[in-house]
Amino acid sequence: MLNVKAPLPMVETAFMASTTAMLFLINYYFPIGPLFRMFFPTPIALVFLRWGYRSAWKCLIVAVVLLTLLMGPTRSIQFLIPHAFVGIFLGYAWKRGLPWLVTIAIGSVINSLGVFFQAALISLLVQENIWLYFLSQITQLLTNIGQFFNVWEPPSLLAVKTFAVASIFCGNFFYQCLIHVGAWLLLERLDTPMPPPPLWLQDLLAE
């Protein structure tokens, strides 16, 4: 007897890979804030939850190949690190029922490392140190804040680097919160369970 469900993992994996690639492609040419970015890792995580790690890695590979063909290797690497790896991690963590605080914290670290990697990659491509430019902007910001409070000493290099790293991590922390909320609302409608948010957040979203 023919098993009708046998092709489902392959079909869903291919569909999710193309969906992931299209989300990244559309967001690159028509950026509309976090609406698309918050779903970058979700299709890969969904495949992990439904069909396991093998299908999730196949989804990742196919999405990267599609983006390489459509946008070139540089853009596909920027998707791979960190968004695709975040999708693999979230699928693994959600399948094991890890709480949101843990997955958001670890996901924020992965995203932050991806920011540093992308800065290094762009610096290599344009032959300019993007990190130094970012630090100079942070220095100017801290100087302006200090002058507002009548502090005329320039900020130390350690303070600038600490503020820069903290700002990157905080930004990715809120980004991970958006990813989790968007994924929870979506996966709940697809009958694919993931760990529920804290009770206070459930009450907030229910209002």
Side-chain angles (χ1 to χ4, degrees), residues 5-207:
K5 292 185 178 181
L8 275 180
M10 180 179 63
V11 173
E12 286 194 11
T13 299
F15 179 74
M16 289 295 107
S18 60
T19 300
T20 304
M22 291 307 298
L23 283 173
F24 189 82
L25 178 70
I26 293 172
N27 184 79
Y28 178 76
Y29 290 108
F30 305 100
I32 51 176
L35 181 60
F36 287 149
R37 291 188 77 249
M38 64 188 291
F39 291 108
F40 284 171
T42 304
I44 296 176
L46 173 62
V47 172
F48 200 119
L49 289 171
R50 288 176 63 85
W51 305 113
Y53 73 95
R54 291 181 183 274
S55 294
W57 280 104
K58 290 177 183 177
C59 182
L60 181 152
I61 293 170
V62 172
V64 169
V65 170
L66 284 173
L67 287 173
T68 302
L69 295 175
L70 293 171
M71 305 179 71
T74 302
R75 300 300 175 191
S76 64
I77 292 174
Q78 290 180 314
F79 165 75
L80 176 66
I81 304 174
H83 304 293
F85 287 145
V86 169
I88 293 291
F89 163 73
L90 291 179
Y92 173 86
W94 291 342
K95 198 173 185 68
R96 278 148 186 78
L98 295 182
W100 278 37
L101 183 60
V102 175
T103 54
I104 288 176
I106 298 177
S108 301
V109 172
I110 298 174
N111 268 114
S112 299
L113 293 175
V115 170
F116 292 118
F117 173 83
Q118 292 190 18
L121 177 64
I122 295 174
S123 298
L124 181 64
L125 293 175
V126 301
Q127 299 297 311
E128 293 286 345
N129 195 325
I130 302 299
W131 177 244
L132 289 180
Y133 174 76
F134 180 62
L135 289 181
S136 69
Q137 297 300 309
I138 295 295
T139 302
Q140 186 61 47
L141 174 63
L142 293 179
T143 301
N144 292 338
I145 294 175
Q147 291 176 356
F148 180 80
F149 291 101
N150 292 323
V151 177
W152 301 99
E153 268 188 50
S156 65
L157 182 59
L158 178 60
V160 171
K161 289 183 177 180
T162 302
F163 186 88
V165 172
S167 64
I168 291 173
F169 180 81
C170 288
N172 283 300
F173 183 86
F174 288 111
Y175 173 51
Q176 279 296 319
C177 291
L178 286 176
I179 290 175
H180 279 65
V181 171
W184 182 66
L185 294 174
L186 176 64
L187 298 183
E188 191 180 49
R189 286 158 176 76
L190 296 177
D191 293 325
T192 303
M194 64 172 281
L199 292 177
W200 65 267
L201 183 56
Q202 293 186 45
D203 296 336
L204 182 65
L205 294 174
E207 292 180 358

